[in-house]
Amino acid sequence: SLRLPSLAIDGSPTTVTGQTLGKSGCAATSQSTNPWLRIDLKAAYLVSHVRVIIFGTSGQNVDVHVGNKKRNNGLNNHICGSPPYDDSTRNNAVWRDVSCSPPVWGKYI
């Protein structure tokens, strides 16, 4: 089911737990070709890593861009991480920690 993108970030590091995973505490996109989601942090932060939680197989090819530009859907911003990723599986989902090395200043993810 589709969930609001605003649920992707709420300022709480504990939103996604075994009890909320895949429920109202997460954002989700509908099935589509090249889906994307932009998160506005409202200010620039030094980003060292981003955790992406993937349900099913549709999100296995995930690119994480961090920067201050919205133009071109942020595709010109710094890209973090590169395959192979160190994925783990929890609660029927893939948890992917994408590192930004070195850390990157950005308002948008």
Side-chain angles (χ1 to χ4, degrees):
S1 66
L2 186 63
R3 291 176 197 83
L4 297 173
S6 61
L7 295 173
I9 187 167
D10 67 359
S12 172
T14 59
T15 295
V16 178
T17 65
Q19 296 167 337
T20 63
L21 188 61
K23 297 187 175 99
S24 62
C26 301
T29 60
S30 59
Q31 185 71 22
S32 63
T33 302
N34 298 321
W36 61 276
L37 173 70
R38 177 176 43 239
I39 299 170
D40 184 346
L41 300 174
K42 305 293 185 194
Y45 290 89
L46 188 60
V47 178
S48 61
H49 76 278
V50 175
R51 176 170 289 154
V52 180
I53 300 171
I54 305 164
F55 296 95
T57 59
S58 61
Q60 294 297 320
N61 298 319
V62 173
D63 290 329
V64 175
H65 296 260
V66 176
N68 293 311
K69 298 176 185 143
K70 285 174 54 174
R71 179 178 247 169
N72 194 25
N73 293 327
L75 292 175
N76 296 335
N77 288 331
H78 178 82
I79 190 164
C80 293
S82 61
Y85 295 104
D86 186 20
D87 293 344
S88 62
T89 303
R90 299 182 215 169
N91 300 77
N92 299 317
V94 173
W95 290 46
R96 177 169 294 162
D97 286 322
V98 179
S99 295
C100 299
S101 182
V104 179
W105 283 98
K107 179 181 176 185
Y108 301 106
I109 299 175

